[in-house]
Each structure stands twice: as structure tokens, then as C-alpha cells.
Amino acid sequence: MIKKVLGIATLSLLGGAAIASIVLSRKAKRKIYVAEQMAPISNRKRGFYEKYIKRIVDVVCSFSAIVFLSPIYATVAFLVKHRLGSPVIFTQDRPGLLDNSGREAIFKMYKFRTMTDERDADGNLLPDEKRLTKFGAWLRSTSLDELPELFNILEGTMSLIGPRPQLVRDMVFMTDKQRERHTAKPGLSGLAQINGRNAIRWEDKLAWDLKYIQRISFKEDMRIIYETINKAFLKREGITDGENATALDYGDELIKNNSVTMDEYIKKQEIAKKILK
């Protein structure tokens, strides 16, 4: 009797995961657009696991996690609404997997908001450091702000494990070699996150992403999931970078290190603005 009940529950879970994935995937596709201003790069051949198994793992795990963590979702949403206001969910356009043209597909990534909308006398948003509250910093330090990304995984714009989706204004400063990280679906966590997160330099972070796409496997993904849980929830390692509320943008780090000229910096930032719709 117990086996029968468990079997029915498992089938119901798989069925619910499949239906939710299809519905969300169709909605997500209507919002995705291509970074036409980027030069195309060559795609990469994917192995059997990445082509056929990884998506199944993503759907089952993300749906199960959403169901299991629903009380936490409700609690965090209530606290965000009470302390930071609406909207509870913060969305931001991020570069994802390359499309058939060899250019990045831009999708909307979801997070719980961690900042206020405080503005100066001219109506401009205050710097991140002033808008990031103690509560928001706590959400980041516990990685609870990233829980809504499970819906990105369920809809197919992200994966459990893969290179973290960076900002469009970071992508435009990447070399074609570094952009190869976008031949894999962006992930909730990845090799860079278990090897220093925002505490490491951009060059090292991107290098870890390139190492990941060279050895994508079920075993490697499970190892990264274990290390992520250990670091983010047991050791409670934060994601802030020194005294900054958020890590430096890639372009800002490059110009700080005199790796690009001011003219190049301005030109790339203009390209990023044109990409964003």
C-alpha cells in the first residue's frame, strides 16, 4: 500500500513538473530576445548528458524544491513586501544561452528584491550602497534572494548548474573566448561560485566558467550542488565584494586596472544600452 502511494505521489510530482515546465517555457519564450549588436561566435557540441539528461534533472529538482520550499517563499515574500515594498520580485535582463545565430539570448532573471527605491532630489536612484538595507544584505548573505531563480530553471532559461548569468554590461566587455561560457545554459551556481564567488577577480571567475563547459557531467553537477549547499547555507559565505554593495562590473574592473581605455569603456557601455530593450 505504501509503495503504491509513493508511486502515485512520484508520478503526480513528475506530471506536475512537466506541465509547469511547458507552461512557463512558453511564457518565457515570448520575452526572450537576441543581442543583435554582438558579433556571432561558434557554438559547442554538447554531450549526451547535457543534451538529454540535464534538462530532466533541472525540471524535477526545481519543481520539487519550489514545492518543498513554498513556506519559505511565502515568508520571504511577506518580509520583502513589509520591509522593502513592491514589487517583491526583482527582474533583470541577463544574457543566456547562444541562439542559432551564435548570439546571446537575453532573458529575464528573477530575484527577491534587496534594495529600496530611494532617489535623490533629481529623481535619480541613490547608489546601491545606500539602497541596500540590512535586511537586503541578509537575504544576499543567505542566498535567499536567489530562490526565485528556481522558476527560471523550471521555465528553461537557466539550469541548476552552469556559468552564472552576468549583466549585459558585463557581457559586452568579454572576449569571444570568454563568451564561450554562453554555450552552456546559465546556472543557479557553478564552479566560480564554489571557488570564491565575488571574492575572486573577473578573469578568474570567467576562467572557472570555461573550465566548467569543458567537463559538464552528472557527477560534476552533483559535486557543485553539494559544495554550493555547503558554502551558501552551512558556511553562510556572502556574495558582497569588500565594501561594495555588489561586485564591480567587469568593465569597471577593466578600466580600474587600465585594461581598457575610457573611449573603449564608453563605446561598450553604449552597446550594452542598445542591446537592452
Side-chain angles (χ1 to χ4, degrees):
M1 181 64 179
I2 295 176
K3 289 183 178 180
K4 186 176 181 180
V5 171
L6 289 175
I8 293 173
T10 301
L11 288 174
S12 298
L13 180 65
L14 293 175
I19 293 171
S21 175
I22 292 171
V23 172
L24 291 177
S25 178
R26 287 176 178 174
K27 290 183 178 180
K29 285 179 180 178
R30 293 197 290 266
K31 301 175 183 177
I32 293 173
Y33 59 95
V34 179
E36 300 288 355
Q37 291 78 2
M38 299 298 292
I41 61 173
S42 300
N43 222 314
R44 171 182 56 86
K45 287 187 177 181
R46 297 174 179 83
F48 182 83
Y49 165 71
E50 189 177 3
K51 286 178 69 175
Y52 303 107
I53 308 299
K54 191 172 172 67
R55 178 61 186 152
I56 297 174
V57 174
D58 284 343
V59 170
V60 174
C61 290
S62 60
F63 184 79
S64 301
I66 289 169
V67 172
F68 179 74
L69 298 173
S70 56
I72 296 178
Y73 275 99
T75 301
V76 175
F78 172 80
L79 291 173
V80 170
K81 172 74 174 177
H82 177 69
R83 299 192 180 195
L84 300 175
S86 296
V88 170
I89 300 297
F90 168 74
T91 62
Q92 191 171 52
D93 288 7
R94 299 285 181 110
L97 192 65
L98 294 180
D99 79 335
N100 294 331
S101 71
R103 297 176 174 86
E104 286 80 356
I106 309 299
F107 72 98
K108 292 193 178 297
M109 190 178 79
Y110 316 124
K111 283 190 174 189
F112 281 121
R113 72 181 299 181
T114 56
M115 295 185 184
T116 66
D117 288 329
E118 292 180 87
R119 298 174 183 270
D120 60 22
D122 297 322
N124 300 312
L125 286 171
L126 295 176
D128 291 352
E129 292 81 3
K130 294 187 177 181
R131 294 189 296 119
L132 181 65
T133 65
K134 288 183 178 180
F135 172 68
W138 175 78
L139 283 179
R140 292 187 180 191
S141 69
T142 57
S143 295
L144 287 172
D145 65 314
E146 297 178 3
L147 284 180
E149 290 170 44
L150 287 170
F151 287 92
N152 282 118
I153 296 170
L154 192 57
E155 72 182 15
T157 51
M158 287 180 61
S159 179
L160 282 172
I161 302 300
R164 282 292 296 167
Q166 303 298 340
L167 297 168
V168 170
R169 61 177 181 262
D170 295 323
M171 174 188 69
V172 297
F173 285 94
M174 295 179 190
T175 65
D176 286 352
K177 180 64 178 177
Q178 292 169 335
R179 286 175 61 204
E180 289 180 9
R181 68 196 297 280
H182 301 138
T183 62
K185 193 173 291 186
L188 182 65
S189 184
L191 273 182
Q193 282 60 55
I194 64 172
N195 286 283
R197 303 183 81 170
N198 282 359
I200 58 178
R201 297 184 311 116
W202 266 98
E203 298 292 337
D204 296 330
K205 189 186 302 184
L206 297 175
W208 279 116
D209 292 339
L210 294 179
K211 285 182 181 179
Y212 171 75
I213 67 173
Q214 295 170 1
R215 57 189 191 191
I216 297 175
S217 67
F218 178 77
K219 182 179 179 181
E220 179 70 355
D221 280 2
M222 293 303 105
R223 183 184 76 84
I224 295 173
I225 289 174
Y226 170 78
E227 290 293 338
T228 300
I229 293 173
N230 182 45
K231 289 177 178 291
F233 297 105
L234 300 182
K235 293 184 179 180
R236 295 184 66 180
E237 293 184 0
I239 64 171
T240 54
D241 180 30
E243 296 179 355
N244 297 318
T246 55
L248 279 178
D249 291 345
Y250 190 27
D252 292 340
E253 182 172 299
L254 288 175
I255 201 165
K256 179 181 178 181
N257 297 331
N258 296 315
S259 298
V260 296
T261 65
M262 181 56 71
D263 286 343
E264 290 174 319
Y265 177 83
I266 294 173
K267 183 179 178 181
K268 295 285 188 181
Q269 293 288 9
E270 288 301 316
I271 293 174
K273 290 178 182 178
K274 290 179 181 178
I275 291 173
L276 292 168
K277 294 185 177 180

